[in-house]
Amino acid sequence: MNTHSPGEAKRVALTLAAAQAVVGAAAPIAVSLGGLAGSYLLGVDKSLATAPVTGYNLGVALGALPAAALMSAVGRRNGFMIGTVATSLGGAFAALALMAGSFWLFALALVVIGSGGAFVQQYRFAAADNAPEHFRPRAIAWVLCGGIFGAIIGPQTVIYTSELLAPVMFAGSFVAIIGLGIVGAVILSFLRLRQPLPRQAAAQGPAQRPLGAILAQPRFIVGLACAVGSYAMMSFVMTGAPLAMQGCGFSIDQAALGIQWHVMAMFAPSSVTGRLISRFGREAVIATGLLLLTGCAAIAHSGVALWNFWLALVFLGAGWNFGFIGATAIVADTYRPSEKSKVQGAHDFILFGTVSFGSLMSGRVLNAFGWSWLNWTILPFAGLCLALLGWLVLTGRHRPVGRRIGSGPDDAEADIAMS
């Protein structure tokens, strides 16, 4: 592995954190406005209002493997800058779709924005690849903490630009995404990465196993189930929240602020989640996340005041952080360094495919049954994940053999937020 010195690695991590804050701000804009703009474009039947948010998540899922292939061909820095172009083009496309009053073109535009988001998902791995082994966990945490600033930049952009191109609501916010992409490209132009030597690393490591054999491992199955449960339920509730708040008489600005607090809660614990995993174990941290998700359901069910919505969204974000990062740590125990690309690709494809379906169903459930039932849907899925974790512990499969399968210097880059 060809890595930077500690000082250079810190500069790389800070550059990627800044890019995460700016380019990553497109995600809360797309999520907070996707359903509202969809509802604005639709007629009487609002059941498909969250389809644009589904488009965003689908773009992340479909863009994961092409983004990895592109960066392998042209290098990560060039690939990341191409990702900012996709983000900007998606913002322009979305604004034009809103001006044209086309619901499905708007949903397609969010697919394009999501494809740019697939590149943002790779920032943390780039930071790990270009850091000494002892600094890799902190480098990953620094990049993820950039998401805290993205959580502020995105919703504040919505507040100040949603009526910029009135009478076409929300178009101004998507025009602003063009600017975020441009600024992100400028930040990334200062990035200096040293690429790993994959062929050499593969030659020195153990032989790769078939993908099916890796996916069939009980630890992988439980880790994937908990990742999907945490992420899909988070997306399911978060997607419907702005629509539910608007239906209860709250303003667009209040809905955007709710998403801001939610996204901040998603990323703020990242600097300590890894330490909690090291001290208490992966399963305990995941279980805590699942309990926080059920707390979100209870708070949301107890009333429809503004504080109910905002506090429920905070619990939802923190629950996602513990559940998803803990589950990712379990999955990272199940593959060798030489197997990471195919396993991560398969994992993310399944994950974001499920998240896309959850965001689509959010609008249908909200429209048919209301906000309370949208939240109570969390309970059976959280219960299933808790049961699987209990089975993993009771059968003794909660402790991987050794540090990790195929433990080696490359392994840390597969750990998300192991700080």
Side-chain angles (χ1 to χ4, degrees):
M1 176 68 68
N2 188 12
T3 59
H4 281 304
S5 67
E8 293 172 321
K10 289 178 181 179
R11 284 191 287 274
V12 166
L14 287 172
T15 302
L16 289 168
Q20 173 84 37
V22 175
V23 186
I29 294 174
V31 170
S32 62
L33 290 185
L36 293 174
S39 178
Y40 170 75
L41 291 171
L42 287 172
V44 177
D45 184 5
K46 306 293 186 182
S47 61
L48 288 175
T50 58
V53 182
T54 300
Y56 174 82
N57 290 320
L58 189 61
V60 176
L62 296 178
L65 295 178
L70 179 63
M71 287 186 288
S72 178
V74 304
R76 269 179 166 156
R77 188 186 74 158
N78 292 334
F80 289 155
M81 294 181 73
I82 292 171
T84 66
V85 173
T87 299
S88 293
L89 287 176
F93 191 10
L96 291 173
L98 286 169
M99 292 177 182
S102 174
F103 175 81
W104 291 111
L105 284 178
F106 178 68
L108 182 60
L110 264 66
V111 174
V112 180
I113 297 175
S115 69
F119 290 87
V120 177
Q121 295 290 326
Q122 295 294 318
Y123 289 175
R124 61 186 183 272
F125 293 121
D129 283 347
N130 287 267
E133 185 171 0
H134 71 277
F135 184 68
R136 287 175 191 162
R138 289 178 62 193
I140 296 168
W142 283 16
V143 173
L144 288 180
C145 284
I148 299 173
F149 295 95
I152 298 172
I153 293 170
Q156 290 299 317
T157 299
V158 170
I159 290 171
Y160 286 105
T161 62
S162 61
E163 298 182 10
L164 188 63
L165 297 179
V168 181
M169 290 295 296
F170 315 120
S173 298
F174 287 96
V175 169
I177 288 179
I178 302 172
L180 293 175
I182 293 172
V183 174
V186 172
I187 292 170
L188 290 166
S189 69
F190 292 98
L191 193 62
R192 298 294 180 266
L193 297 173
R194 295 178 183 174
Q195 300 300 325
L197 304 175
R199 293 181 182 176
Q200 179 181 340
Q204 293 174 350
Q208 292 191 34
R209 296 166 294 169
L211 180 61
I214 301 170
L215 303 188
Q217 296 173 96
R219 281 185 63 78
F220 181 90
I221 293 171
V222 173
L224 176 62
C226 291
V228 167
S230 300
Y231 212 136
M233 285 298 97
M234 182 276 292
S235 177
F236 182 71
V237 174
M238 175 187 65
T239 302
L243 287 171
M245 292 179 71
Q246 189 180 49
C248 291
F250 298 108
S251 69
I252 294 170
D253 290 356
Q254 289 170 319
L257 285 172
I259 295 299
Q260 174 178 305
W261 288 113
H262 165 72
V263 179
M264 289 182 69
M266 286 175 62
F267 289 103
S270 297
S271 59
V272 299
T273 306
R275 294 188 181 93
L276 293 175
I277 290 173
S278 297
R279 181 170 181 179
F280 299 106
R282 293 150 169 75
E283 292 75 18
V285 171
I286 296 171
T288 301
L290 294 169
L291 291 175
L292 286 169
L293 292 177
T294 60
C296 161
I299 293 167
H301 185 70
S302 65
V304 290
L306 186 61
W307 73 266
N308 290 101
F309 282 103
W310 283 8
L311 186 59
L313 286 168
V314 168
F315 270 64
L316 186 69
W320 171 86
N321 184 282
F322 290 145
F324 181 62
I325 292 178
T328 303
I330 285 183
V331 170
D333 292 329
T334 66
Y335 56 82
R336 299 164 179 162
S338 59
E339 300 165 343
K340 64 185 177 183
S341 295
K342 64 181 181 182
V343 176
Q344 289 171 0
H347 176 275
D348 282 0
F349 181 79
I350 296 170
L351 173 67
F352 285 104
T354 310
V355 169
S356 299
F357 178 75
S359 61
L360 177 63
M361 293 305 296
S362 177
R364 290 186 171 272
V365 173
L366 179 66
N367 190 60
F369 303 106
W371 172 241
S372 289
W373 277 102
L374 189 78
N375 283 274
W376 283 131
T377 307
I378 291 174
L379 298 183
F381 290 96
L384 175 61
C385 291
L386 286 169
L388 288 172
L389 285 172
W391 172 78
L392 201 66
V393 172
L394 291 174
T395 56
R397 293 184 171 93
H398 62 294
R399 293 190 179 92
V401 178
R403 176 177 176 267
R404 176 179 305 170
I405 295 174
S407 179
D410 289 344
D411 291 346
E413 66 188 7
D415 287 334
I416 298 180
M418 291 293 291
S419 54

